[in-house]
Amino acid sequence: MNIFKTLRIYYNKLSRIPRGEFFSRLFMGAKKYYANYPATIILQTVSACNLGCKHCFITNYGTEIKDGVTKIMLFDEFKKIADRLEPMVKKTNFFVFSTFEAIINKDLFRMMDYLLAMNPKLKFPFLSNSMQLTPEKIAMLEKYPITEVNISIDGTTKEVVEDFKNGVDFNKILLALERLSKSKLKNRIAVTFVAHKNNIHQLPGLLDLVDKYGVKSIFVSNLLSFTKENRDMVLYSKEGNPEVERIFEESIRIARKNNQVLELPLTKPKLKGCQTIESFFVNHNGNVSPCDFLAVTTPFTLFGETVTNPPLVHGNVLYDDPMEIFRSKAATDFRISHRLAKEMPKGCTHCIDAYGLMCSNRTVYQ
């Protein structure tokens, strides 16, 4: 890679680091690039969920996404993959057990123990819809190096939240936040708000609501429309959305009043590349893909056009050396295309995460 591409990549990365995390992220990034190891491993120990939300692509597994497999990984299956990943685990910083609801795997804590025996410095970011965050499970999470408990909450009222997510109970979300706020994890609570036309008016109020539970990190994402069904609910457009921008401005003001960190997506697409592809993603069957979306035949709908591409697989950790997969030309070129943010690979052209509209490269306000 020539010097100009390298400088552009470094500029893109450094300009997006939040002020409070600049030096720690800079050190971790330098270490990652120098050693050419991923900072995060994602293993799909769960490709299932206790909810059936209509906007989630896993709801379409077996139907529209015919090759999507709903599965909860057994501990013996996990060990086979973890053993193959051991050299990488010893070098990495973070391990994520699923992009879905990891807590529904009864062996989650045994899996944590198994990995910590390989790398005692390993840390675990944790995502949850909170429906199964019982006092017993929170007490177990307290015993492990959890960097963040990120709770999904998409509004401030029962009616709005429960209309958006099938099977969720708004009161249970608030109960989970209350329990977490009284636990040893109280300084590691974050929330994620998926913005759409039916809930965006509640974003400013959400900041005050979660502040009551000590939540200081709020992540906002636009709705990713996998099919045409939800495309009328999205807030972004080619021209932007002035009404949503006004709501964002009010939310920024409230966040600063509450001493919260608020991360917001764009409403007008700008090619930024995706950060998820920096992780080493392993599917339930050992296949390595850039992300969970590209591990299966996922349809993406952007500005009324739906595109479906076959899965993109760089290798399988059960048969191939994981580091050789990560450092392969195909995987490296894929990451570089996102780092440069000039032209997206075929599978990413209609995914909003490449354009600053979802969870990658949000703008940080603090």
Side-chain angles (χ1 to χ4, degrees):
M1 186 166 49
N2 66 44
I3 186 65
F4 297 107
K5 284 186 177 181
T6 303
L7 290 173
R8 183 180 178 87
I9 288 170
Y10 287 162
Y11 173 78
N12 287 346
K13 292 291 182 184
L14 292 173
S15 64
R16 296 165 185 161
I17 298 177
R19 289 197 309 272
E21 302 174 21
F22 186 84
F23 290 107
S24 62
R25 292 269 293 271
L26 177 62
F27 176 76
M28 186 171 64
K31 179 182 175 183
K32 178 182 71 174
Y33 286 118
Y34 177 76
N36 200 13
Y37 276 87
T40 302
I41 297 173
I42 303 172
L43 175 58
Q44 208 73 299
T45 58
V46 170
S47 58
C49 189
N50 52 320
L51 303 182
C53 306
K54 56 189 176 184
H55 71 286
C56 181
F57 83 124
I58 196 175
T59 305
N60 296 304
Y61 272 20
T63 54
E64 186 144 358
I65 304 177
K66 293 182 171 54
D67 54 351
V69 176
T70 300
K71 179 177 175 60
I72 297 178
M73 188 179 287
L74 301 175
F75 187 66
D76 286 344
E77 295 172 324
F78 166 80
K79 286 201 301 181
K80 288 179 182 178
I81 292 178
D83 287 345
R84 294 286 295 172
L85 292 172
E86 183 171 4
M88 187 180 283
V89 169
K90 288 180 175 179
K91 296 279 190 178
T92 198
N93 300 91
F94 306 103
F95 197 102
V96 178
F97 289 92
S98 180
T99 52
F100 303 112
E101 191 65 21
I103 199 77
I104 65 177
N105 192 314
K106 63 182 179 61
D107 293 313
L108 174 64
F109 300 110
R110 289 178 69 196
M111 293 173 177
M112 289 183 180
D113 288 332
Y114 197 79
L115 293 172
L116 287 171
M118 297 178 182
N119 180 359
K121 295 182 179 180
L122 197 60
K123 295 181 175 20
F124 306 121
F126 185 76
L127 314 170
S128 180
N129 57 43
S130 75
M131 292 301 96
Q132 294 196 16
L133 275 183
T134 61
E136 294 76 19
K137 288 181 178 177
I138 291 174
M140 287 298 295
L141 287 170
E142 287 179 316
K143 299 176 182 179
Y144 291 89
I146 306 296
T147 57
E148 177 181 274
V149 181
N150 195 318
I151 302 298
S152 175
I153 177 168
D154 304 307
T156 59
T157 62
K158 186 177 181 69
E159 179 184 15
V160 168
V161 173
E162 294 183 7
D163 180 65
F164 181 55
K165 286 189 171 179
N166 300 336
V168 77
D169 184 328
F170 180 64
N171 291 328
K172 279 190 176 182
I173 298 175
L174 298 184
L175 182 58
L177 287 172
E178 182 179 358
R179 287 169 174 166
L180 287 166
S181 71
K182 297 175 181 178
S183 74
K184 295 177 183 177
L185 301 166
K186 62 183 178 182
N187 295 323
R188 284 167 270 176
I189 316 171
V191 299
T192 293
F193 176 93
V194 177
H196 54 81
K197 71 174 186 178
N198 294 337
N199 73 350
I200 187 61
H201 64 286
Q202 294 192 339
L203 176 59
L206 179 78
L207 297 168
D208 281 332
L209 174 64
V210 300
D211 188 55
K212 296 176 183 177
Y213 302 101
V215 177
K216 296 303 180 183
S217 297
I218 298 93
F219 302 93
V220 179
S221 299
N222 276 304
L223 175 65
L224 174 55
S225 178
F226 296 102
T227 64
K228 296 177 181 178
E229 179 184 359
N230 295 321
R231 68 182 181 187
D232 293 334
M233 293 180 66
V234 303
L235 300 172
Y236 54 86
S237 72
K238 294 179 180 178
E239 299 77 25
N241 191 324
E243 181 181 353
V244 172
E245 292 295 337
R246 285 192 290 272
I247 293 173
F248 281 178
E249 287 297 324
E250 181 184 358
S251 301
I252 293 167
R253 179 185 60 78
I254 294 172
R256 287 174 173 161
K257 176 200 70 166
N258 294 340
N259 195 29
Q260 294 166 315
V261 178
L262 177 63
E263 298 198 15
L264 295 173
L266 300 177
T267 61
K268 181 179 181 180
K270 178 182 179 181
L271 192 55
K272 288 190 170 187
C274 177
Q275 291 178 312
T276 304
I277 54 89
E278 298 289 350
S279 303
F280 190 74
F281 175 87
V282 185
N283 209 5
H284 65 87
N285 55 11
N287 281 347
V288 177
S289 298
C291 69
D292 53 355
F293 299 145
L294 296 180
V296 291
T297 309
T298 302
F300 294 98
T301 298
L302 182 64
F303 301 132
E305 183 179 24
T306 301
V307 171
T308 302
N309 294 300
L312 176 57
V313 178
H314 292 309
N316 187 294
V317 299
L318 295 174
Y319 310 105
D320 308 311
D321 183 300
M323 282 311 308
E324 288 184 6
I325 298 173
F326 181 75
R327 293 170 177 170
S328 68
K329 186 178 187 308
T332 300
D333 287 348
F334 195 95
R335 291 193 296 273
I336 288 174
S337 66
H338 278 271
R339 291 170 185 171
L340 290 172
K342 281 189 171 182
E343 184 176 352
M344 288 298 97
K346 181 180 178 183
C348 306
T349 57
H350 283 64
C351 177
I352 67 171
D353 214 13
Y355 301 94
L357 297 171
M358 199 170 74
C359 46
S360 287
N361 298 316
R362 299 181 182 98
T363 303
V364 180
Y365 298 92
Q366 51 191 351

